[in-house]
Amino acid sequence: MFEKMINKKRQLIKKKIIKKLSKFIKKGDVINCEFDLAKFNSILNISKNKSHFINFFIEVFLDLIGPKGTLIVPTFTYSWGKDKEKKLFDIKNSIPKVGILPSHLISLPSVSRTLDPMFSFAIMGNNKKYFTNISNNSFGKKSVYEKILLQKGKLISFGLNKFDPTFVHFVEQYFDENYSKLKYRFLKKFSGILINKKKKKQKKSFYCFVRKSKSNIVFNEKNIQINLNKNKKLNKIKILKNNIYVVNSVDFYKEGLIGLKKNKNFFCKKKGKND
């Protein structure tokens, strides 16, 4: 009896969340979701365990996009970073550094993962083959981010403290390569060992558009938010008292380039005490 009541309550909450998000996320959509589930303890409290809690959110987004949609979630490991003594990325076993949901996703047989030692992704749903066929440039040509843009995918910040899509680095790199150099970031080569899903080891190099280590510049979402809001392109939804942001990648890309052309520091500010 008690179990049925819990399940009923969970399903009611799920329906309310889906109803709110369905105004902005449609069947067949490609969605890139960045999660912070720490603030959703009310759902955790009505779930049996952490696995049920995580699956609750996966089910929400799969219901929203349907069988023809694609769910893309960061599983970043930064495995070849300068702080790593052993430069090794194992596509099956390297644990994401970006929360509990990505760590759970990579264990699911229905999920494919990109072979990127720094900025890997879990891909679920349709077009997995397309999105996992990437180059060795995390934010450049034939990257997951370029494919999201080409497919007119949507960027979702779910429960994060601020509107901070990692897609911004794709826009910055595109501007740096095609318009004018940015002083605070540069294209860096990383080298190490990749272990693919067949457990085959390969020595490889990857390129990432990274912030200069001595730079006192940090990301600032204020300008892009103002511009997107001005043009009614950024959707902000409240779910269980937490902010959810949804924006089309094409709109973010266009507004980002417009902003950078006017001000090369459009996406950043000087580091303060609280940064």
Side-chain angles (χ1 to χ4, degrees), residues 4 33 44 55 76 99 144 155 160 162 211 225 234 238:
K4 285 183 179 179
C33 299
L44 179 59
N55 283 326
F76 306 159
V144 171
L155 311 174
L160 275 65
K162 59 183 179 180
R211 186 168 63 89
Q225 261 194 286
L234 180 61
K238 280 277 186 184

Side-chain angles (χ1 to χ4, degrees), residues 6-235:
I6 289 175
N7 286 332
K8 189 176 180 180
K9 187 175 181 181
R10 188 161 52 229
Q11 290 304 314
L12 284 172
I13 293 173
K14 187 187 291 183
K15 283 181 181 179
K16 286 180 181 179
I17 294 174
I18 289 172
K19 186 177 179 180
K20 280 191 174 185
L21 290 177
S22 63
K23 295 176 184 177
F24 313 102
I25 301 169
K26 306 299 180 183
K27 300 291 184 185
D29 274 352
V30 171
I31 55 173
N32 174 30
C33 299
E34 297 184 81
F35 290 94
D36 183 355
L37 300 184
K39 298 173 184 174
F40 293 90
N41 286 331
S42 59
I43 293 174
L44 179 59
N45 291 339
I46 61 165
S47 297
K48 281 183 176 180
N49 54 42
K50 196 174 284 185
S51 179
H52 287 144
F53 171 64
I54 295 166
N55 283 326
F56 175 92
F57 292 99
I58 296 172
E59 288 166 12
V60 163
F61 283 99
L62 291 180
D63 282 351
L64 284 162
I65 63 176
K68 293 185 178 179
T70 308
L71 173 63
I72 302 170
V73 178
T75 55
F76 306 159
T77 59
Y78 319 112
S79 297
W80 292 358
K82 65 180 181 179
D83 61 324
K84 300 292 190 297
E85 188 176 331
K86 195 175 183 180
K87 314 292 185 187
L88 185 146
F89 174 73
D90 185 332
I91 196 169
K92 285 190 173 182
N93 299 309
S94 290
I95 303 300
K97 307 295 183 185
V98 282
I100 58 172
L101 188 143
S103 297
H104 178 75
L105 272 180
I106 64 170
S107 69
L108 301 178
S110 58
V111 170
S112 294
R113 193 181 191 185
T114 58
L115 197 60
D116 184 324
M118 301 294 280
F119 296 93
S120 62
F121 287 88
I123 317 290
M124 202 170 191
N126 199 20
N127 284 333
K128 286 191 289 186
K129 189 174 180 180
Y130 171 75
F131 281 103
T132 51
N133 181 22
I134 59 169
S135 68
N136 65 339
N137 193 322
S138 297
F139 301 105
K141 287 186 178 297
K142 211 178 172 184
S143 65
V144 171
Y145 288 111
E146 184 187 61
K147 290 171 183 283
I148 289 169
L149 178 67
L150 292 173
Q151 295 297 311
K152 300 179 181 178
K154 293 172 181 176
L155 311 174
I156 300 168
S157 298
F158 196 91
L160 275 65
N161 289 328
K162 59 183 179 180
F163 177 60
D164 185 12
T166 312
F167 182 84
V168 66
H169 304 318
F170 167 78
V171 181
E172 289 173 318
Q173 182 170 330
Y174 186 88
F175 180 85
D176 183 87
E177 291 177 345
N178 295 280
Y179 293 96
S180 183
K181 294 295 178 186
L182 297 176
K183 291 182 179 180
Y184 58 92
R185 283 189 175 268
F186 71 106
L187 193 64
K188 183 175 179 178
K189 181 180 179 180
F190 294 85
S191 297
I193 302 293
L194 292 176
I195 302 177
N196 64 22
K197 59 184 178 182
K198 294 181 180 179
K199 299 182 179 180
K200 183 181 177 182
K201 289 186 178 182
Q202 301 170 294
K203 286 185 178 180
K204 290 285 185 177
S205 294
F206 251 80
Y207 295 86
C208 299
F209 198 56
V210 298
R211 186 168 63 89
K212 292 181 179 178
S213 58
K214 293 183 180 179
S215 173
N216 66 339
I217 296 294
V218 294
F219 175 73
N220 180 24
E221 78 280 9
K222 184 179 178 181
N223 292 330
I224 188 68
Q225 261 194 286
I226 289 171
N227 287 14
L228 287 169
N229 282 326
K230 192 194 307 181
N231 295 304
K232 297 181 180 180
K233 299 294 186 182
L234 180 61
N235 302 294

